[in-house]
Amino acid sequence: MAHFRFQRDIRDHADSSRVETWRALWIGLAGLIMMASGGWSRAAADETKPKNAGGTPFSPEAIDFFEARVRPILVNRCIKCHGPEKQSSNLRLDSREAVLKGGNSGPSLVPAKPEESLLIQAVAQTHEELKMPPGGKLPEPSVAIITQWVALGAPWSATASKGAASSRIEGHDPPTPHWSLQPLVSPSVPQVKDRNWAGTAVDAFILARLEAAGLTPSARADKRTLIRRATIDLWGIPPSAEEIDAFELDSTPDAFARVVDRLLASPRYGERWGRHWLDVARYADTKGYVFVQDRNYPYAYTYRDYVIRAFNSDLPYDQFIVQQLAADQLPRGDDARMLAAMGFLTVGRRFLLDQNEIIDDRIDVVSRGLLGLTVTCARCHDHKFDPIPSEDYYSLYGVFASSIEPAELPLLQKVEPGPAFADYERKLHAAKKARDDFLAERRDEIQGDLTARFSVYLKAAYDLDLDGVAAGWTNAPAPTNSTRGDSEA
């Protein structure tokens, strides 16, 4: 039986090189992050940070203001003419050093003095000669942002100081480390003053932050509150009165640990926490707007049950992800239930059965759910600030377009022969026969109608002179009896 199978050998795809480029991009970016986090000393990093007039690095708030408010304006309205590719009037605006140096007219700005800065006079268009940008004056909010930036001393981030020349996408800034692409690390447990309070490594991290802020932990919760918190967190419902009483009477040191183990061992745990992943997977049991087939996914529940089972069995996360992307390519023995994992891709909207929209939705759920990135903008254009070109989007598109979703879903569990199964097969055979007989009857009816009316349709086409209409003869004369000849017969 055919499954929804991925073509794992992407060399068979026309755009396989772009798929490899996509993979290499993420691996290379992760490597750069690792090098930056482990290979540079803090002192060396501080040396690369731009500094204000007092010789101290700019505050994080000032850098955030530059990154979020100023840098997009420079990229969108200035770098094209004053960047690595082109330097009108010998002026570059892609690094703080270049901005301070200026161009033919002298320094572009004076830190902390916007009224004396040539850049402000140009963008506000108060200068007699210089009025920038050439395409028209910037909106007043943008002018105010640049003025505030200069008043702050023109803060600039170390990342932006590297210049736009290293950008993956031409004309845009280089990519910055994204949280979802940073490597996992095992940090050392911090030292705390109150070692008796920190029972676990997690406690040590919490206590270290509290001590750094001059705070002390809250008082320990009573046992009734503790079991209510744990049960509601893990099950989504409060504990019963009997469970509360039993916990309060249990004076053993591991009483709470056994409560947690009991809660985690219950199917209710997977039902409670699996729903959060189902939100990521945009789970639904209907297809949205479709009009020529059933709108329901009658077997969507099998994916829901797979997610709940994965949580309850503590399935490792890497296996959890791989199964949802390529369960049909994995060895599974006699247990076919793993195939339900591919509902992650298939239980989505069907967009009037438009294949382009269906594939776009699958690219979106993979990239947004697993990478923490919205990639589908690249369907129409390269991302402006992320290293995601359209070529990579369509490489992924090719992978999904060359995959096959079976019309008849595979059987996930063996069915034991018996009276109930025999009755089911009999009814299924009867329903299929009724469907096939109906389609055959309708097909014969349509063919007979076309055969009987064929001459009528030809005569109507001749009378309407459809050939003339198709050729653009808007004033073609209507046929007369004298020109029709024997066609009237």
Side-chain angles (χ1 to χ4, degrees), residues 160-171:
S161 296
K162 298 175 184 178
S166 61
S167 175
R168 166 88 193 280
I169 303 176
E170 182 179 356

Side-chain angles (χ1 to χ4, degrees), residues 459-470:
K459 180 177 180 297
Y462 179 77
D463 290 344
L464 295 174
D465 195 15
L466 295 182
D467 287 340
V469 174

Side-chain angles (χ1 to χ4, degrees), residues 2-327:
H3 305 314
F4 185 171
R5 56 184 182 272
F6 283 91
Q7 308 300 323
R8 302 304 298 274
D9 187 0
I10 61 175
R11 292 173 299 177
D12 294 341
H13 298 146
D15 285 335
S16 63
S17 61
R18 298 305 306 167
V19 177
E20 293 299 328
T21 301
W22 174 276
R23 185 177 302 152
L25 170 64
W26 302 134
I27 295 175
L29 184 57
L32 289 175
I33 299 169
M34 293 176 66
M35 181 179 67
S37 61
W40 296 343
S41 67
R42 183 177 300 275
D46 287 342
E47 287 296 324
T48 64
K49 293 181 179 179
K51 299 177 176 59
N52 57 27
T56 58
F58 290 104
S59 67
E61 292 77 14
I63 296 299
D64 290 342
F65 176 77
F66 166 76
E67 287 286 351
R69 308 295 296 279
V70 180
R71 192 175 178 188
I73 298 175
L74 296 179
V75 170
N76 293 328
R77 302 302 299 270
C78 306
I79 296 300
K80 182 177 180 180
C81 296
H82 301 286
E85 303 296 330
K86 181 181 179 181
Q87 300 87 39
S88 297
S89 300
N90 291 321
L91 173 63
R92 291 184 64 162
L93 298 175
D94 57 345
S95 72
R96 190 172 189 272
E97 293 76 12
V99 174
L100 295 176
K101 179 182 177 181
N104 295 343
S105 301
S108 300
L109 59 83
V110 180
K113 296 182 179 180
E115 67 281 355
E116 300 179 15
S117 299
L118 192 60
L119 176 64
I120 301 302
Q121 298 173 21
V123 298
Q125 299 194 359
T126 58
H127 195 277
E128 294 181 358
E129 299 179 1
L130 293 176
K131 299 185 184 298
M132 294 294 167
K137 184 180 178 181
L138 292 175
E140 289 301 328
S142 298
V143 175
I145 289 171
I146 296 179
T147 303
Q148 182 180 356
W149 170 61
V150 175
L152 291 172
W156 201 284
S157 68
T159 302
S161 296
K162 298 175 184 178
S166 61
S167 175
R168 166 88 193 280
I169 303 176
E170 182 179 356
H172 298 298
D173 289 344
T176 56
H178 189 271
W179 67 267
S180 71
L181 306 178
Q182 297 186 39
L184 297 176
V185 296
S186 181
S188 57
V189 179
Q191 297 296 322
V192 295
K193 299 177 182 178
D194 188 1
R195 296 183 179 180
N196 294 328
W197 187 88
T200 66
V202 175
D203 293 339
F205 282 96
I206 296 173
L207 184 57
R209 291 294 299 273
L210 290 174
E211 291 179 348
L215 302 175
T216 58
S218 300
R220 291 184 178 273
D222 60 82
K223 299 187 75 172
R224 175 179 292 268
T225 301
L226 197 58
I227 191 174
R228 281 183 57 85
R229 289 176 180 173
T231 308
I232 292 175
D233 281 348
L234 297 179
W235 283 7
I237 57 177
S240 66
E242 293 76 13
E243 290 169 340
I244 295 175
D245 292 340
F247 180 56
E248 288 184 321
L249 295 174
D250 191 346
S251 58
T252 58
D254 62 341
F256 183 63
R258 287 188 284 108
V259 166
V260 173
D261 289 341
R262 174 178 61 81
L263 296 174
L264 292 176
S266 171
R268 293 175 180 174
Y269 165 72
E271 295 168 1
R272 158 73 166 167
W273 284 95
R275 67 185 182 91
H276 295 292
W277 182 258
L278 293 176
D279 287 341
V280 173
R282 46 69 171 121
Y283 172 81
D285 54 12
T286 57
K287 303 175 183 179
Y289 287 106
V290 292
F291 300 106
V292 296
Q293 61 179 223
D294 184 11
R295 294 188 180 185
N296 298 308
Y297 284 120
Y299 303 108
Y301 72 90
T302 60
Y303 175 66
R304 178 203 64 195
D305 291 350
Y306 163 82
V307 172
I308 294 173
R309 189 166 59 249
F311 273 76
N312 284 329
S313 63
D314 199 19
L315 183 68
Y317 181 71
D318 58 344
Q319 297 181 32
F320 183 62
I321 297 303
V322 171
Q323 289 177 9
Q324 291 178 90
L325 296 177

